[in-house]
Amino acid sequence: MLIQSPTLQLDFVRQYFPSLAGDWVFFDNAGGSQILRPVVDRITEFLYESNVQLGASYAVSQRATERVAAGSKAMAQFINAADPAEVILGSSTSALLRILAQCFRPTLEPGDEIVVTNADHEANISPWTELERDGVVIKTWRVNPTTFDLELADLEALLTPRTRLVAVTHASNVLGSINPVRAIADLVHAHEALLCVDGVAFAPHRRVDVQALDVDFYTFSLYKVYGPHQALLYGKKELLLALPGYNHYFIDDAAIPYKFQPGGSSYELSYSLTAIPEYFEALAQHHGPAGGDSIERAFDLIQTHEGVLNQRLLSFLRDRPKVRIIGRDTADPTQRVSTISFVVEDMSSDQVPPYLDAHNIGIRYGHFYALRLIEDLGLLPNQGVVRVSMVHYNTVEECDRLIEKLAEIL
Ligand SMILES: Cc1ncc(COP(=O)(O)O)c(C=O)c1O
């Protein structure tokens, strides 16, 4: 049984998202979430009050510098990084992982090994597999096609004294399953390798605590975490200091995170990030007395609410004889996020979303750039999967509206 209390108050949540006031139901959140009003306010504030180059002596420049620094500090707090210097900001997760892999490149020897999965978004695969050209050996950790799980025993069998890095997703953007990142980190570290985690499909749903997870690198996209089109990459300080940079030759090796941010980060977007942890804090405070880590408490509420949404949609899908759920068949929000994919017998996946378009419900189909997973599961002829990706601002009523319309065609 799912615990229903304390329940997330959706009226409180939704007032932060002006775009939810219309008649659209947004169920493509894994593609990109709606944005918080205070994030937009901060963008405007920066541009109208402090839109100058950083680092000069005059007061407006000092203020701009402080605001941009506040963005990194807020993100460090959001992911519980020990130091804001461990937070690299960039335009996208794809771009940041490419930068990281390029910085890694000169540290690798031919014969060194990197493990990737077949369940990741391509953003955390190609930057690593392309190092094969330098003689790096690539190994693939594959999902069990029956359980849809990445099994630790399979990873263990791939690790050798030559393994330098394992690249894995925290949650699959197709399967929705949450991988046991801390256990993976322990295993990888026992083999003296490093772990690079794609948290894009996880971070909108659960608290990221990079210290508790003991990850070496962790990345996600802020435009899916209710923020602007930007992304962050966390790296342990000693690793960032040791890696070669990706900036001009005169940028000091000790200049983290700047040595990984050629051209700097978008100033106004960086400042706007300050509004994200503030929102989660406000959410926690609204729902109960202060105490403990408020971001953690907000995500506990979110987890409970998502469990209810999962339960509702999955039990409907389970009852449709033509539907096959692609992912763990559990609604347990400790096991999966509320990203739910399925295929329909005798129906191509591209036929489902257009039916819902007409009812102002936005979902989508495809491979979602996890092309290798869709290929390995044999789902390419179906045009991939139909994906419904719900987040905490989605209501039970919205879920029921989707179910009602899906019931007409499935
Ligand atoms: C799991 C996952 N990883 C990485 C990415 C790439 O993120 P970005 O668009 O910031 O490059 C996505 C985007 O959909 C994703 O879902």
Side-chain angles (χ1 to χ4, degrees), residues 30-31 91-95 121 123 169 171 173 198 200-201 221 223-224 229 231:
S91 62
S92 67
T93 292
S94 304
H121 183 285
T169 191
N173 66 332
D198 174 346
V200 174
S221 311
Y223 71 94
K224 306 196 198 229
H229 212 114

Side-chain angles (χ1 to χ4, degrees), residues 105-180:
R105 202 169 157 203
T107 74
L108 298 167
E109 305 277 341
D112 280 348
E113 296 170 5
I114 288 182
V115 178
V116 296
T117 82
N118 70 338
D120 272 70
H121 183 285
E122 196 60 24
N124 200 24
I125 303 179
S126 301
W128 306 114
T129 56
E130 284 168 16
L131 298 173
E132 217 165 12
R133 293 188 207 126
D134 301 298
V136 172
V137 177
I138 304 296
K139 295 186 170 179
T140 304
W141 181 14
R142 292 182 189 282
V143 155
N144 176 326
T146 314
T147 60
F148 300 105
D149 283 341
L150 282 169
E151 285 162 11
L152 276 182
D154 291 340
L155 172 61
E156 193 156 20
L158 296 174
L159 297 171
T160 77
R162 293 301 302 264
T163 310
R164 296 289 312 279
L165 181 121
V166 174
V168 67
T169 191
H170 199 164
S172 158
N173 66 332
V174 170
L175 307 171
S177 41
I178 298 173
N179 292 316

Side-chain angles (χ1 to χ4, degrees), residues 172-215:
S172 158
N173 66 332
V174 170
L175 307 171
S177 41
I178 298 173
N179 292 316
V181 166
R182 178 60 204 237
I184 296 170
D186 290 345
L187 181 60
V188 169
H189 293 152
H191 288 77
E192 291 178 14
L194 298 173
L195 181 63
C196 174
V197 177
D198 174 346
V200 174
F202 180 87
H205 305 275
R206 304 285 179 272
R207 188 17 163 16
V208 174
D209 182 335
V210 289
Q211 294 190 71
L213 293 170
D214 197 22
V215 284

